[in-house]
């Protein structure tokens, strides 16, 4: 990968800025950069807590860093998705060019809105056309417990219930992005769901009939912040005012990992936003997501 990025770097040397793939020696610098906003950067911070290194993974994911000399100015995770880390919008083109030159296909770009949209603007010039652009997604967080009562029925998922949890997760995914997560085969997504359950990051209420009533996952977890993803209420039970109690329970359970609970939501989802506000979440930023 480095060899394919290098020709582009050489053409940029005149302004002192360059892009390269980070290695193990860059771990402390990347962690310090990400900690400038621990809520917005929970994805990369969770990765660093898990692996202990900024070096490329065995699966081929890596982190691009934009440097001024030896100073790391911004970064971007490049795996199945692109996830900017404290990357100023004016530097997004450097990363977009480098990511394009790898020849890799990305499922999405997500993160702070201005930078994500700047990355996509350059990607679009390079021929990458999005399936959908969600330009405004409030980033919400709550520090401490919920301000309303929690539904005690929500608990951590168990592998014994995997065959019930997996279809609910797939239904949520299809509602959210418009296609099935099983399109390319069931194995990858099934492993992802199973991994979340085994880590204790799956939260679910299954009633006495074996029906999943509500579920959510902690998609990224650090010692300081969790990020909730995959919030889903069974369609047959929607509109009864139960979501807020379940989300309050999500906050309580997530606090067993970290004091701050976060999530991001589509700006047009007014019902969900109202629910999160009832629970005590407050907006701390704005994300965007580009789906390819």
């Amino acid at each position: 990968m480095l060899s394919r990025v290098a020709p582009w770097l050489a053409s940029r040397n005149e302004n002192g800025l360059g892009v390269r793939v980070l290695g193990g020696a860059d771990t402390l610098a990347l962690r310090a950069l990400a900690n400038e906003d621990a809520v917005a950067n929970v994805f990369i911070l969770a990765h660093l807590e898990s692996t202990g290194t900024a070096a490329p993974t065995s699966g081929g994911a890596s982190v691009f860093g934009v440097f001024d000399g030896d100073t790391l100015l911004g970064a971007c995770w490049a795996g199945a998705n692109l996830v900017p880390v404290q990357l100023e919008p004016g530097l997004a083109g450097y990363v977009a060019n480098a990511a394009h030159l790898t020849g890799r296909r990305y499922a999405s770009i997500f993160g702070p809105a201005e930078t994500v949209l700047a990355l996509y603007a350059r990607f679009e010039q390079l021929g990458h056309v999005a399936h959908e652009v969600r330009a405004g997604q409030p980033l919400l967080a709550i520090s401490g417990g919920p301000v309303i009562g929690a539904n005690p029925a929500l608990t951590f998922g168990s592998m014994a219930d995997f065959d019930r949890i997996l279809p609910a997760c797939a239904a949520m995914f299809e509602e959210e992005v418009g296609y099935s997560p099983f399109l390319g085969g069931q194995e990858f997504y099934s492993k992802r769901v199973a991994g979340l359950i085994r880590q204790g990051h799956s939260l679910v209420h299954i009633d006495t009939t074996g029906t999943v009533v509500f579920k959510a996952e902690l998609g990224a977890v650090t010692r300081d912040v969790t990020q909730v993803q995959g919030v889903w209420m069974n369609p047959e039970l929607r509109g009864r005012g139960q979501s807020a109690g379940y989300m309050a329970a999500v906050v309580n359970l997530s606090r067993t990992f970290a004091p701050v609970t976060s999530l991001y939501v589509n700006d047009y989802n007014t019902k969900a936003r109202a629910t999160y506000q009832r629970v005590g979440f407050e907006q701390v930023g704005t994300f965007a997501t580009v789906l390819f």
Side-chain angles (χ1 to χ4, degrees):
M1 182 179 293
L2 282 169
S3 63
R4 299 185 70 176
V5 174
W8 175 76
L9 292 182
S11 69
R12 299 291 178 173
N13 285 341
E14 70 276 1
N15 60 14
L17 300 182
V19 176
R20 65 171 171 82
V21 172
L22 301 187
D26 301 302
T27 302
L28 291 179
L30 179 61
R31 184 179 287 116
L33 185 74
N35 273 320
E36 292 177 8
D37 189 337
V39 174
N41 298 316
V42 64
F43 175 88
I44 194 67
L45 287 168
H47 170 73
L48 290 174
E49 285 195 12
S50 174
T51 66
T53 181
T57 70
S58 59
S62 59
V63 181
F64 289 114
V66 181
F67 287 84
D68 183 356
D70 294 329
T71 302
L72 180 63
L73 301 179
C76 187
W77 167 267
N81 310 291
L82 289 173
V83 186
V85 180
Q86 297 300 105
L87 184 67
E88 291 295 327
L91 300 177
Y94 290 79
V95 169
N97 286 349
H100 171 73
L101 285 172
T102 67
R104 187 170 189 152
R105 295 177 63 88
Y106 302 96
S108 74
I109 311 171
F110 67 86
E114 288 189 21
T115 300
V116 167
L117 297 177
L119 280 165
Y120 178 57
R122 179 57 183 149
F123 250 51
E124 194 172 30
Q125 292 173 348
L126 294 167
H128 303 267
V129 179
H131 165 69
E132 184 179 355
V133 178
R134 300 177 181 181
Q137 298 175 304
L139 175 63
L140 310 177
I142 179 172
S143 180
V147 299
I148 63 169
N151 189 325
L154 193 72
T155 187
F156 292 105
S158 164
M159 282 302 296
D161 294 314
F162 173 78
D163 289 340
R164 296 182 175 92
I165 295 172
L166 179 63
C169 290
M172 179 283 308
F173 185 99
E174 190 161 355
E175 282 185 40
E176 181 66 16
V177 301
Y179 59 86
S180 171
F182 301 144
L183 276 181
Q186 189 168 325
E187 183 178 4
F188 177 80
Y189 189 73
S190 296
K191 284 183 177 180
R192 167 66 175 164
V193 173
L196 289 167
I197 295 172
R198 291 192 179 99
Q199 290 174 300
H201 296 171
S202 169
L203 314 177
V204 65
H205 173 208
I206 300 174
D207 68 16
T208 56
T209 70
T211 300
V212 174
V213 177
F214 177 95
K215 69 95 191 170
E217 288 81 45
L218 304 180
V221 177
T222 73
R223 69 195 70 183
D224 300 311
V225 182
T226 61
Q227 185 179 90
V228 180
Q229 298 174 358
V231 176
W232 183 83
M233 172 72 76
N234 191 306
E236 295 182 3
L237 301 172
R238 294 174 187 174
R240 303 182 184 182
Q242 299 181 50
S243 294
Y246 281 115
M247 282 306 304
V250 167
V251 172
N252 283 340
L253 292 174
S254 70
R255 290 182 68 211
T256 63
F257 296 97
V260 177
T261 307
S262 70
L263 57 85
Y264 57 100
V265 58
N266 293 318
D267 56 358
Y268 53 78
N269 195 342
T270 55
K271 289 184 179 180
R273 293 178 65 182
T275 294
Y276 300 144
Q277 185 174 18
R278 281 185 60 197
V279 174
F281 283 90
E282 297 180 349
Q283 186 167 354
V284 295
T286 302
F287 267 25
T289 299
V290 176
L291 299 170
F292 292 103

